[in-house]
Amino acid sequence: MKPEDTVATVDDLMDTLRADLEWLTTIPSIAFPGFPAEAVFAAHDLLVELLRGAGVPTVERLDLPNTAPVIYGEIPPPSPDAPTVLLYGHYDVQPPGDQRLWKSPPFEPTPIEGGLRARGIADDKSNVIAHLGMLRAYGGRPPVGIKIVIEGQEEYGSTFDDYPPTDPERFACDAMVIADLGNLRPGTPTLTTALRGASEVIVEVRTLEEPRHSGEFGGAAPDALVVLLKALATLHDVHGDVAVEGLRRAEWSGTTYTEEEFRELAGVLDGVPLVGSGGLGERLWSGPAITVIGLDAPGVEHAASAVVPYARAKLNLRFHPRQDPKEAQAKLVDHLRSLKPFGVPLTVTPGDTGPGYEAATSGPAYRAARAALKEAWGEEASSVATGGSIPLVNGLAKAAPGAEVLLFGAQDSMCNLHAPNERVLFSELRNTVVAMCAFVREYAADFPTGDGAA
């Protein structure tokens, strides 16, 4: 399919793709405990129907313990020398949260200027529809082999993250497109080339058997909350940079936000400075971050005049994509265990930890992707990273260690994913479908025959 034919074909498909996206988004496919499982299965069944209608000859259901069903599909390569591309997305969504903060019901797709608003419409149903659009554009016969993986419990987490390495033949491919991300900003074609790792640590302090009157005992009796705050204050220096030794930090040479964009995206209040030093890319993607995400302590409204006997905090650590996750977590644990604020020891418990990811970007799939994104958006693709994590990426990479991993899609950083009033722009969806079509065309043409990984 020539470039001019690709654009015309995709434009002809957009009304149908929009209708399918609206249909899919009306289904509240929330795979969290306490939400109806029937909606998750309904989204699964609809996508199976749409994939078969797009010409996918093999569509299977993978049932794994304690997780929603995974959709698996295959289209054989058109020739023995053609590469195979794995397409990934997920059909489950985040809960809507406080529905009073939504401008329209979260599961009623509502038109906005240039797009639609609904829960899950960007993360990740628009990306699933983009895969479908590419398959339809080629009439179910793209110039590459296709493997399709659409999971149903990505947002909550599932056993599927660790499954691919146990079934490597099923996931063998030459390249994979992980469509669970998008552009840095609308209209800026973006490849995400790295993901920070993530870890959790709990730190506790117990100093007294029970609360004691602050007037009678304060000043000598050790306050557990003050001890904990003293420890937490050592995690950052005066600039706000992480002060834990051994956590890797490197300069970021790719594209990043402007400070004004970031302040708006993060909702930073006027007059409040950003923390840390160096470029935003370092602070957000190639350096560490430690956040106190939970604190157990007496609430202000019902506080008694008493010395606090017990306090606990949960910390979230994000670390450099290439740092070993156990090493990174151990650096934080060792730092905390070495402290004895006012002579009081801390109890430090490591929690879950997951690796980051950094892609190799010099192969034929990346050449094809850069050309495809330029074709779709009319400008060179930017390279960014993300501080978020996609655990399945590492599982798929282990299952197909020779495959190139590409992360791009129809979302953009301003789409409000996981927040009220999530939206997708039709321009981003349309251009993502064009890019997907151009990618498989360019990749098939440039693929070194006889040297595939699949």
Side-chain angles (χ1 to χ4, degrees):
M1 190 187 305
K2 296 178 181 179
E4 57 270 25
D5 297 330
T6 298
V7 170
T9 300
V10 172
D11 285 342
D12 287 343
L13 286 170
M14 280 303 297
D15 286 346
T16 302
L17 293 176
R18 172 178 173 169
D20 289 338
L21 178 60
E22 291 189 32
W23 188 8
L24 184 60
T25 310
T26 61
I27 302 173
S29 49
I30 305 167
F32 282 62
F35 290 87
E38 292 80 7
V40 177
F41 292 116
H44 169 278
D45 294 346
L46 173 57
L47 281 173
V48 168
E49 178 184 338
L50 292 175
L51 288 169
R52 287 177 175 155
V56 181
T58 301
V59 182
E60 301 175 1
R61 170 173 164 163
L62 296 181
D63 286 305
L64 303 175
N66 304 313
T67 191
V70 178
I71 300 170
Y72 176 82
E74 280 190 21
I75 299 176
S79 68
D81 289 333
T84 292
V85 176
L86 185 149
L87 308 176
Y88 169 82
H90 63 87
Y91 63 86
D92 64 306
V93 303
Q94 282 280 326
D98 187 349
Q99 298 193 34
R100 294 172 299 179
L101 300 177
W102 285 78
K103 297 178 180 178
S104 55
F107 293 103
E108 292 181 15
T110 302
I112 60 169
E113 184 177 356
L116 288 169
R117 177 174 58 237
R119 168 55 86 228
I121 201 161
D123 182 20
D124 189 42
K125 291 179 177 178
S126 60
N127 285 321
V128 173
I129 293 297
H131 289 326
L132 188 73
M134 183 275 288
L135 297 175
R136 284 182 179 163
Y138 281 99
R141 294 183 176 86
V144 299
I146 293 291
K147 293 186 176 182
I148 301 162
V149 178
I150 306 176
E151 68 169 315
Q153 198 171 301
E154 190 271 348
E155 297 291 5
Y156 182 72
S158 81
T159 54
F160 184 60
D161 290 347
D162 301 318
Y163 176 75
T166 70
D167 192 5
E169 185 176 352
R170 182 185 295 274
F171 301 98
C173 60
D174 300 290
M176 57 186 78
V177 177
I178 310 296
D180 194 12
L181 290 163
N183 290 339
L184 183 69
R185 60 183 69 89
T188 300
T190 305
L191 287 165
T192 298
T193 59
L195 308 169
R196 275 199 299 199
S199 181
E200 291 184 345
V201 172
I202 291 177
V203 55
E204 300 175 84
V205 182
R206 187 174 294 279
T207 57
L208 306 173
E209 292 180 353
E210 57 188 18
R212 284 289 187 266
H213 192 291
S214 58
E216 293 187 24
F217 297 96
D223 185 315
L225 183 54
V226 172
V227 171
L228 179 61
L229 295 175
K230 184 77 169 177
L232 297 180
T234 70
L235 299 177
H236 298 84
D237 65 17
V238 293
H239 305 292
D241 292 317
V242 170
V244 176
E245 291 188 9
L247 292 176
R248 184 169 181 173
R249 176 169 174 160
E251 290 186 10
W252 176 253
S253 59
T255 308
T256 187
Y257 303 109
T258 66
E259 182 170 327
E260 291 73 21
E261 284 176 327
F262 181 77
R263 292 183 67 89
E264 181 178 355
L265 287 170
V268 180
L269 299 178
D270 290 344
V272 177
L274 302 185
V275 298
S277 61
L280 277 174
E282 285 181 48
R283 285 180 271 172
L284 297 173
W285 301 329
S286 60
I290 299 175
T291 306
V292 180
I293 61 173
L295 186 67
D296 289 337
V300 171
E301 187 174 349
H302 301 290
S305 297
V307 180
V308 175
Y310 174 78
R312 179 174 68 160
K314 188 173 187 177
L315 310 180
N316 180 263
L317 166 66
R318 302 288 170 150
F319 50 88
H320 190 282
R322 289 201 300 269
Q323 186 157 25
D324 178 84
K326 292 183 179 179
E327 177 192 50
Q329 186 184 62
K331 296 296 183 184
L332 176 55
V333 170
D334 291 346
H335 174 93
L336 290 166
R337 286 177 176 167
S338 72
L339 302 174
K340 286 190 176 181
F342 311 115
V344 178
L346 310 174
T347 299
V348 184
T349 306
D352 293 337
T353 188
Y357 183 80
E358 187 168 55
T361 61
S362 60
Y366 265 87
R367 289 196 297 271
R370 292 187 186 100
L373 268 64
K374 183 176 182 180
E375 181 177 319
W377 274 273
E379 61 180 81
E380 298 289 343
S382 298
S383 293
V384 303
T386 178
S389 58
I390 307 177
L392 184 66
V393 170
N394 288 282
L396 288 171
K398 289 178 182 177
E404 294 182 69
V405 181
L406 302 142
L407 296 101
F408 67 91
Q411 302 172 19
D412 64 81
S413 295
M414 302 172 186
C415 70
N416 289 336
L417 74 165
H418 293 208
N421 303 307
E422 182 178 350
R423 63 100 177 108
V424 73
L425 299 177
F426 295 133
S427 59
E428 301 303 288
L429 175 59
R430 179 258 192 194
N431 288 348
T432 300
V433 180
V434 171
M436 289 290 300
C437 293
F439 168 68
V440 295
R441 180 215 318 133
E442 295 297 316
Y443 187 43
D446 190 35
F447 186 72
T449 59
D451 191 32

